[in-house]
Amino acid sequence: PPYRGLGLGVANHVSGFRAIDPRFDGSTAVARLKSDGQVEIETGEIELGQGMSLSYARIASRTLGIPETEILIKSGDTGRYPFGIGTLASRSTVIGGNAVNKAAESLLKQIADLARTVLGEGAVFEGGSVIHDGRIYPLSEISAWYRARHAGEEMAVRETYIPDTEMPDATYYGHPSPNYPFAAHVAEVEVDPDTGRTKVVGYWAVHDSGTIIHEVMAKGQVLGAVAQGIGWVTMEDLIVKEGRVMNPSMMDYRMPGAKDIPQIEVAFI
């Protein structure tokens, strides 16, 4: 239609970036079996609302074969939990998630080894319980077996994931990230030629982000980022006069509301 146009943006990014700290771009996770049978995952990564904790619970759940509701993700205590580089460069799911997966795999092996030690070679761990000779032993009982053999200590394993990355050389050839997500976005924009008023009337976002761990959270990240971008381009403005901010509160700083955001189609490939 008249005064409408399409804009296309393509991008690629990193999931973890060696240049942030060339000495170390990994993550460590601790998987701990509590006395009540719940599994705790301690991580040095930080939940900032990006859905990291839910994603980590899902990763550990798939590895251990237990419900996500029985897994508690703990982070933020720098005095107790593992060291972390920081929540940046889209690294939490890939870098921290791999550490969580490694810790969950080690915990799974330790549980299986303990079950065979206590019950014999026929013992298997599946569905969150040990099964042997038709009997089912819950995780709380497995925890009791371990604590009885280790002076009351809880079963815990610690694993570190370090990606196979390298800093670019003088010719800029290198491999600084373990993953390289790609995206293509299209915006349909309408402009009033008399007033200059601009409105985004349609939006499509397609992402190649590898395996999606938590689709609701992943889609939420895309929707939030698109809304932020529309706000930056069409209305947000920090007004400064003679060194003074003239719109210092949310009452004065125009941000997009629900009616300012068009229907956004999101797809992952």
Side-chain angles (χ1 to χ4, degrees):
Y3 313 121
R4 280 196 180 187
L6 295 174
L8 169 67
V10 294
N12 78 296
H13 196 45
V14 291
S15 289
F17 189 46
R18 193 77 191 193
I20 293 169
D21 188 339
R23 301 166 299 175
F24 175 77
D25 187 31
S27 182
T28 299
V30 175
R32 188 183 308 277
L33 179 59
K34 305 295 289 182
S35 61
D36 61 358
Q38 186 181 51
V39 173
E40 286 186 356
I41 302 291
E42 299 172 358
T43 174
E45 311 308 323
I46 300 297
E47 171 66 79
L48 296 176
Q50 78 274 34
M52 181 198 84
S53 296
L54 288 173
S55 295
Y56 286 4
R58 180 157 296 183
I59 290 169
S61 170
R62 291 177 178 178
T63 302
L64 293 167
I66 64 178
E68 296 174 34
T69 53
E70 296 179 14
I71 299 171
L72 178 63
I73 307 300
K74 304 183 79 171
S75 65
D77 186 340
T78 56
R80 176 179 177 182
Y81 303 143
F83 169 79
I85 291 286
T87 303
L88 39 88
S90 298
R91 65 189 300 279
S92 293
T93 301
V94 172
I95 306 293
N98 270 294
V100 169
N101 189 57
K102 288 185 67 174
E105 288 176 341
S106 292
L107 186 66
L108 183 66
K109 182 179 184 303
Q110 192 159 339
I111 290 171
D113 290 345
L114 177 61
R116 285 191 293 268
T117 299
V118 174
L119 300 173
E121 285 300 321
V124 294
F125 179 69
E126 60 182 41
S129 302
V130 169
I131 302 173
H132 183 260
D133 284 343
R135 286 193 59 188
I136 297 177
Y137 303 86
L139 279 174
S140 58
E141 192 162 351
I142 298 164
S143 176
W145 295 344
Y146 185 88
R147 288 183 289 111
R149 287 163 172 76
H150 295 84
E153 293 293 323
E154 295 172 333
M155 180 186 291
V157 293
R158 183 185 185 98
E159 293 288 349
T160 299
Y161 168 74
I162 301 177
D164 182 22
T165 53
E166 60 179 319
M167 287 291 292
D169 58 22
T171 66
Y172 301 104
Y173 182 85
H175 180 45
S177 172
N179 294 80
Y180 302 92
F182 291 85
H185 287 213
V186 173
E188 185 177 10
V189 181
E190 182 179 83
V191 179
D192 185 326
D194 296 322
T195 66
R197 180 179 181 272
T198 303
K199 184 179 181 181
V200 181
V201 295
Y203 205 98
W204 298 263
V206 180
H207 283 244
D208 175 6
S209 301
T211 301
I212 302 299
I213 303 297
H214 200 297
E215 187 162 358
V216 172
M217 287 292 173
K219 185 177 180 180
Q221 283 201 4
V222 176
L223 294 174
V226 171
Q228 188 177 34
I230 290 174
W232 282 355
V233 171
T234 63
M235 62 188 67
E236 295 187 43
D237 190 16
L238 195 65
I239 302 170
V240 181
K241 291 184 178 179
E242 297 180 355
R244 183 178 178 182
V245 177
M246 305 306 292
N247 55 339
S249 76
M250 289 301 182
M251 294 295 291
D252 309 307
Y253 184 88
R254 178 78 169 90
M255 293 178 67
K259 289 190 174 183
D260 299 306
I261 306 299
Q263 179 70 26
I264 302 169
E265 300 293 336
V266 179
F268 295 104
I269 61 171

